[in-house]
Every structure is written in structure tokens, then in C-alpha cells.
Amino acid sequence: MFDFQSIVIYLGLALLTFYIAKYAEFTNSRRAVWLIVFSFSLIAGLRAASVGIDTKRYHDIFTNISIRQTNKIFAIENGFIYICKGLLSLWNNNQFLIFLLGFVSYALCIFRLWKDRNYISFRWAVLVYNVLFFSFSLNGLRQFIAVSIVFFATAFIREGKYIKFAFAILIASLFHLSAIAGFAYLFFEILFFKYFELKRKLLIFSFIGICGLFALSMLSDVLNKYMGFFEDRVQSFGFMMLIKIALLVFSIILMGKLQDSEERIFCSSSRYNYFIGLLLNSLSYFFMYMGRIGMYFYVFEAIYIGYWFKKKNQTVFELLLKCAYVAILLYYIYDSVTSGPNGEIPYRFFWQN
């Protein structure tokens, strides 16, 4: 069922941010990028408690924190509680906190895309991010902040700044313990060993060992917290992941061998991260919530599709690939404004409740 206000807001946000991103590309304007972040944050921050499956729960959590009844809060990381407590001391207002947490997560994601503007079409990457991930941010608030931190920190990996990356993962785990899955990015570096000098190779092995031991030490806590998700079995199967994997394989065939080594590393790593995200996200077809672990890698879909829209069409097959991605985006837009799988429909402002 269509809701006019929801359609206007979500489609309006998609078009607005797309054209602001286009302007940012042509003018190299960071102010325009901040305007995109603010646009996302405004829609997320002004939403009513009914928008997003978990939003009402987070309102209850924030209220319990503000009245010092944290004993009523269960299955929430202590780090997240302390962070919220500190922010609520600045302004004891739930709506302010939702806006601020959204602002942080959108800033991290959008500026991560901005970092890769030499390789990707920034406007198309922003559109993909909007269509595929914005609605999830209205639902899984804690995990989406963690995903945003990990996603932003992947830029440190490319620069060989492994200490900064590891520190970012630890910060992300304060919001959602599953963020330790981000340490897997260090293991992925082994795939590109031939491009690195000896010093960086030794550094990679050192951090793989340290972070691997840390991840193992946290394994029991993670299993105790999330093993219950395997009990929530679902009997469903969707073809979207198969279609995306087929398009990914098709794109690899079209790609050929890139001459520029930096672009080759960028494309290969983005493609690999995206593929891992697709595989992990497909767990949702068998276990209701387990696919969420794939979000730490699946977010690279925005970068990978953005990369293809940056490339000029050299064959009709590349044009067909882009058309296929546009068709997927249109399908997600239709699904979002009609059914709202993340509870984003109908959209209402907090003063409308």
C-alpha cells in the first residue's frame, strides 16, 4: 500500500542527495558532502518512534539511561550505554541522540565514499547507499554505527595504517560486539601480498597474529550472545542474491586485466569485500538475523557499483550491466516505499505521533 508522505520523503531524499553528490563531484566541494550527511541525518533524526522496527526500543533504552535505570536494559553493550549516558548529559532528549548517532554514522559512510571519488562515481555510490542501506540505519541503529566505523576504517587498511584500523574496530565493538568481524579485513590483505614491500608484509603478519588472538579471546562472548540467532530459522529463499552474484561474475568477465596497479588493487579488494558481504548476507535466507554480520562487507556494494558507473561504456555489455544495476535499484525503491521491510513505512515525523 502506498503512503504519499513516505514516497515524497524517501524519493525526495534520494533525488536530492544524488544531485548534491553530482554537484560535489564537479566542484570538489566538501561542503556539499556535509550537506548530504545533514540531509540523511535530518530524515533519520526527525522520524517518529514508529519508523524503524527497533526505534521504539531505542527510545525506551535512552529513557532508562536518562532516569538511571540501566538495570532494565538487557542485551546492550555497556560501552554503548556509557556513550549514550555521556551524550544525554549534554541534552537529555531522545530525538537529539537519534539525530546525533545518525549524523555520525552517515558522515563516516559518505566521507568513506568520498575518499574513493577518483575511482567511483560518487553520485551513484551515494544513491546505492541511500537505496540499499539507509532504511537499515533506521532499524539496526547500534550495528549500523559499528558498520559505519568499520567501513570508514577500511581506508586505513589501504594506506597500511593497521594500528588506526585496529583501534577503530575496538571503538566499533563498543557499539556492537559483532564489529570484531571487521578484523577479517586484515586477513584479506594476504591476497595482495605481491604488491607490498617487505616491511608492510611483516607488519601485516604481526597484526594478523595480535588481532587474531584478540578475536579468539572474544569468541566465547560473541558465541554466547549470538548463537541464539541460529535458532531463529526461516523457510524462505530469494533470488536477489543469486542475481547479484551472477552480475558480479559477469562484471569480472567484462573487466579484463587492468593496467594500473593501484586501480587493480582497488577494484580487486572492493570486489572481494562485496562478494564476502553477499555470501554472509545470504545467511538471512536460512537464519532470520544472521545475515546482518555480512553488513560489515556488504556495504562495499555502493563502492563496487559506483566503480562501474565511473567507467565509460566500451561495449554494449557494460551498458547492459549498468542497466541491470539500475533495475535492481528500482526494485529496492519500489519494495521500500510499498512494504518497508525495515519498518520505514509509513514515515512520520516525531511530532505527528
Side-chain angles (χ1 to χ4, degrees):
M1 183 176 181
F2 291 101
D3 179 77
F4 181 73
Q5 178 171 310
S6 302
I7 292 173
V8 170
I9 289 173
Y10 290 128
L11 290 186
L13 181 65
L15 292 173
L16 176 66
T17 53
F18 179 83
Y19 283 105
I20 295 176
K22 183 178 180 180
Y23 172 80
E25 280 183 304
F26 285 117
T27 61
N28 199 35
S29 172
R30 288 178 64 88
R31 290 185 179 181
V33 181
W34 279 114
L35 185 56
I36 294 171
V37 173
F38 183 75
S39 299
F40 283 126
S41 306
L42 202 61
I43 298 302
L46 296 179
R47 75 185 189 269
S50 60
V51 182
I53 297 171
D54 289 344
T55 305
K56 176 63 169 63
R57 178 179 176 233
Y58 280 107
H59 272 280
D60 294 338
I61 290 171
F62 300 153
T63 298
N64 284 325
I65 292 174
S66 65
I67 63 176
R68 303 178 185 278
Q69 292 188 359
T70 54
N71 59 305
K72 294 183 178 180
I73 302 174
F74 302 100
I76 299 293
E77 285 76 4
N78 288 329
F80 179 75
I81 294 174
Y82 289 128
I83 290 170
C84 291
K85 185 177 181 180
L87 293 174
L88 286 171
S89 67
L90 301 176
W91 185 12
N92 191 6
N93 183 287
N94 291 353
Q95 217 66 45
F96 158 74
L97 189 52
I98 288 175
F99 171 85
L100 190 60
L101 292 175
F103 184 85
V104 171
S105 61
Y106 301 133
L108 291 170
C109 285
I110 298 303
F111 274 97
R112 176 64 182 86
L113 298 177
W114 181 247
K115 278 178 175 287
D116 286 339
R117 63 190 181 279
N118 291 331
Y119 294 111
I120 68 175
S121 170
F122 179 63
R123 59 184 180 271
W124 279 98
V126 169
L127 181 63
V128 173
Y129 172 82
N130 187 340
V131 172
L132 298 183
F133 304 107
F134 179 68
S135 63
F136 177 75
S137 74
L138 305 179
N139 178 18
L141 190 148
R142 276 169 37 252
Q143 186 177 10
F144 195 77
I145 296 173
V147 169
S148 301
I149 296 171
V150 173
F151 183 49
F152 184 83
T154 56
F156 299 142
I157 287 279
R158 191 167 63 201
E159 298 165 359
K161 299 176 180 177
Y162 301 117
I163 294 178
K164 286 187 176 181
F165 176 77
F167 184 67
I169 298 296
L170 294 178
I171 293 175
S173 67
L174 296 177
F175 290 91
H176 208 276
L177 191 59
S178 64
I180 65 171
F183 281 126
Y185 280 108
L186 289 172
F187 291 86
F188 298 164
E189 285 285 88
I190 296 175
L191 299 173
F192 307 101
F193 252 33
K194 63 181 180 180
Y195 299 106
F196 304 145
E197 68 274 7
L198 179 61
K199 182 180 178 180
R200 184 165 176 176
K201 290 178 181 179
L202 294 175
L203 195 61
I204 291 170
F205 273 121
S206 299
F207 271 90
I208 285 177
I210 295 170
C211 295
L213 289 173
F214 175 79
L216 286 174
S217 69
M218 298 291 291
L219 187 60
S220 61
D221 291 334
V222 174
L223 290 177
N224 289 335
K225 189 167 186 178
Y226 298 112
M227 277 299 289
F229 287 170
F230 284 104
E231 298 175 2
D232 296 325
R233 296 178 180 271
V234 292
Q235 300 293 327
S236 65
F237 185 78
F239 288 98
M240 184 55 72
M241 287 301 162
L242 292 178
I243 293 172
K244 288 185 176 184
I245 290 175
L247 289 176
L248 180 60
V249 172
F250 183 52
S251 71
I252 294 172
I253 295 172
L254 291 179
M255 182 68 67
K257 187 173 182 179
L258 298 171
Q259 298 301 317
D260 184 87
S261 60
E262 289 188 8
E263 183 180 357
R264 187 159 62 246
I265 295 173
F266 170 82
C267 184
S268 298
S269 61
S270 300
R271 183 169 58 208
Y272 187 77
N273 296 336
Y274 175 36
F275 176 66
I276 295 298
L278 283 173
L279 291 182
L280 292 176
N281 198 60
S282 65
L283 289 173
S284 293
Y285 292 134
F286 310 100
F287 308 99
M288 187 172 294
Y289 299 109
M290 285 307 298
R292 289 187 176 188
I293 195 67
M295 289 293 293
Y296 295 101
F297 311 95
Y298 186 41
V299 70
F300 266 87
E301 184 165 36
I303 286 182
Y304 190 69
I305 293 178
Y307 173 80
W308 274 99
F309 277 93
K310 181 84 168 183
K311 287 175 63 66
K312 292 182 179 180
N313 297 325
Q314 296 180 344
T315 67
V316 67
F317 296 108
E318 292 181 359
L319 177 61
L320 289 174
L321 177 67
K322 293 178 182 179
C323 289
Y325 280 130
V326 170
I328 288 175
L329 293 177
L330 290 174
Y331 166 79
Y332 275 110
I333 290 172
Y334 176 81
D335 185 52
S336 178
V337 299
T338 55
S339 62
N342 286 289
E344 69 270 29
I345 300 295
Y347 182 92
R348 294 292 182 265
F349 295 103
F350 71 88
W351 61 79
Q352 289 180 294
N353 270 12

